[in-house]
Amino acid sequence: MMLSGVLLSLLLSVSMAFSLTELSFARIDRSQQSGGDAVRMTLAMSAGLTALGLAFSHQGPSLGAMAVIVGIALSWLAARFASRSVALAVAILSLGIYLQFAELAPSGV
């Protein structure tokens, strides 16, 4: 049970990391923004904030804090090795996998 919680927290960390990567690209490339950048930013913010909220609400404070710390560390690596399109796709995909496998419905209802 604890192992599955850690793996689910890792999925949330990956989602936060790669969404932060998109946000860092937007901050660096301010002079060359287009209409597509606004869509990317919206998707990245949605995935990142959803992962952040789920990390604390469904994982508890200890796993939530661990997920945030690992996500920040992974974002540093992801910014150097992943393109913008890949980073956004990985963020959304990992959040989708988390939502597929996490038991979000309360038990006993």
Side-chain angles (χ1 to χ4, degrees):
M1 185 70 167
M2 181 65 174
L3 182 61
S4 67
V6 171
L7 291 175
L8 290 174
S9 291
L10 185 61
L11 284 171
L12 291 175
S13 296
V14 169
S15 181
M16 283 185 274
F18 282 91
S19 65
L20 284 173
T21 301
E22 177 64 31
L23 297 177
S24 68
F25 279 127
R27 189 187 70 218
I28 292 169
D29 296 334
R30 273 193 191 151
S31 62
Q32 301 174 9
Q33 290 184 350
S34 66
D37 288 342
V39 173
R40 283 181 193 260
M41 181 78 81
T42 302
L43 290 172
M45 286 294 292
S46 298
L49 290 175
T50 301
L52 180 66
L54 288 172
F56 284 100
S57 67
H58 291 112
Q59 300 290 327
S62 60
L63 285 176
M66 182 187 74
V68 171
I69 291 168
V70 171
I72 291 170
L74 282 175
S75 71
W76 182 78
L77 291 172
R80 279 141 184 80
F81 298 115
S83 70
R84 293 179 72 185
S85 298
V86 170
L88 185 58
V90 169
I92 293 171
L93 186 65
S94 63
L95 182 61
I97 292 170
Y98 173 85
L99 292 173
Q100 183 68 34
F101 292 111
E103 296 178 19
L104 298 178
S107 59
V109 174

